[in-house]
Each structure stands twice: as C-alpha cells, then as structure tokens.
Amino acid sequence: MGPFELLQKVVEVFEGLQIQYLVTGAIASIAYGEPRLTNDIDIVAVIKENHIPGILKAFPMPEFYLNEEAIKESIQHKGQFNIIHPSSGLKVDIIIGKDDEFDRSRFSRIHRIQISESYHVNFASPEDVIIKKMEYYKKGGSEKHLRDITGIMKVSSKEIDFTYIDYWTRRLDLTKVWDSIQRRLSEKV
C-alpha cells in the first residue's frame, strides 16, 4: 500500500462515517508546492465517540495498528492518534479538530482536490497549511517546515491570499516567523 492508497482508504472511511476532515502537513505541502518524501499523512478530523466503532472496524488488526484507548483520549484532550499500516511503514496522524476560531476558519476554507480519477480529498487551503507550518516551525525549529512553505509560495503564490495569512500571523503571534520567511524569499529572487 502506498501513501495515496492509504489516504484514499481513510477518506472513504471518514466520508462514509460523515466525519469532517481536512488533509494538512506534508501531503498538503506537496499538493500545493514541491514534491518531497514523506511516510506520514496528517489529517485534522472532527471525531466523536460514536465514530470509534466504525473506525476500528475499517482498520482491523493485523493489517493496521489502531488503539481504541488512544482514540478516546485524543477525543477527550483534543490530541492526536495514529493509524499505522505496519507492512508499508506508513502512518496517518489523526489530529482532533479544536472548536476554536482558527479551526472553524480552516474548515470553512477547504479545497476539494481530485487526487485521481476515482476520488477527491478535502485539503486545508494553502494559506492554512502555511500558517500551521509556521506554528510548527516556531515550536520546533525544523527547517522542513520552512522548505515546505517556500515550495508552496513558489508553486502556488498566485492563488495565495496574503491578507488572510497576515491576519492569522498577527492573531497567532507568528509575525516574526512570517517576516523571516518573506525576507528569505525576497533574497532568493
């Protein structure tokens, strides 16, 4: 199983269970930017306790590793859990959506992208991917987030709403990171 087959399976399960979701992280960065290797898929989802039996049934052991208690704890604490496909080494990080202003904004701006002839997927907007990448960079300092942002800016800059990014960088205290990214991009031109 490859990453896009696993993504398709998760999407089919979530849509079948009527779970709101959006793909973000590296897969979204690739969709809007430049290709890179990744072994994980990041999905923000609004999962409730009543969805758990359907999720567990759709991802049975031993083909998948999925922990029921981790799902319950993630729902309770707005954390995350994993769906692991051991034979391929692929992992899906399911991040429980928060009912805050930013997540409500992200879910209202979903881009439905056709991945293949057979399926479409809900993606976070490129602006929201950039904003979350800035948050992760601020927390951990990983250069991969800056590379992803730069790739998105190079490939998708004509579609990006910079006013939206400016608004959220101020609200989320990311102005210094955003200013640094813009300086880097202007130096490369």
Side-chain angles (χ1 to χ4, degrees):
M1 179 176 287
F4 289 100
E5 289 89 5
L6 180 56
L7 175 61
Q8 182 176 2
K9 178 160 179 61
V10 174
V11 166
E12 287 172 352
V13 169
F14 282 11
E15 289 182 356
L17 294 172
Q18 298 181 330
I19 296 171
Q20 280 187 292
Y21 74 91
L22 59 84
V23 175
T24 190
I27 296 291
S29 296
I30 293 166
Y32 298 121
E34 298 175 326
R36 75 169 173 90
L37 293 177
T38 184
N39 276 340
D40 72 332
I41 300 166
D42 298 320
I43 299 177
V44 179
V46 182
I47 296 176
K48 309 287 186 206
E49 292 267 340
N50 63 311
H51 294 128
I52 295 173
I55 293 170
L56 292 170
K57 183 178 178 185
F59 298 99
M61 294 279 262
E63 183 181 1
F64 295 94
Y65 173 78
L66 179 60
N67 183 292
E68 182 175 359
E69 287 307 311
I71 300 172
K72 289 178 180 176
E73 189 173 307
S74 297
I75 292 169
Q76 183 179 6
H77 299 291
K78 302 291 187 207
Q80 75 178 41
F81 66 93
N82 308 114
I83 299 171
I84 299 170
H85 185 252
S87 66
S88 68
L90 295 172
K91 175 180 71 144
V92 182
D93 294 326
I94 307 295
I95 304 146
I96 303 300
K98 297 171 179 58
D99 189 22
D100 62 18
E101 188 180 359
F102 182 67
D103 265 9
R104 285 190 297 274
S105 177
R106 285 201 294 176
F107 275 95
S108 74
R109 297 168 46 82
I110 286 173
H111 288 207
R112 189 122 170 115
I113 297 175
Q114 185 170 352
I115 298 298
S116 73
E117 288 185 26
S118 61
Y119 76 107
H120 291 74
V121 176
N122 294 338
F123 277 81
S125 72
E127 297 87 357
D128 292 319
V129 175
I130 289 169
I131 291 163
K132 289 307 284 185
K133 289 280 182 183
M134 284 191 284
E135 275 190 335
Y136 292 130
Y137 176 75
K138 184 179 178 183
K139 288 178 187 173
S142 173
E143 286 288 317
K144 75 178 176 182
H145 299 301
L146 296 181
R147 285 191 304 273
D148 286 345
I149 292 168
T150 302
I152 294 168
M153 300 283 284
K154 283 197 282 190
V155 173
S156 299
S157 65
K158 291 180 181 157
E159 295 93 43
I160 293 175
D161 181 349
F162 290 97
T163 304
Y164 179 85
I165 294 175
D166 288 337
Y167 172 79
W168 282 107
T169 56
R170 287 191 304 277
R171 293 287 311 272
L172 299 172
D173 192 28
L174 298 169
T175 306
K176 287 181 183 175
V177 177
W178 182 230
D179 290 345
S180 172
I181 290 166
Q182 290 179 310
R183 275 194 305 277
R184 281 180 175 212
L185 286 169
S186 66
E187 290 169 2
K188 292 183 178 185
V189 173

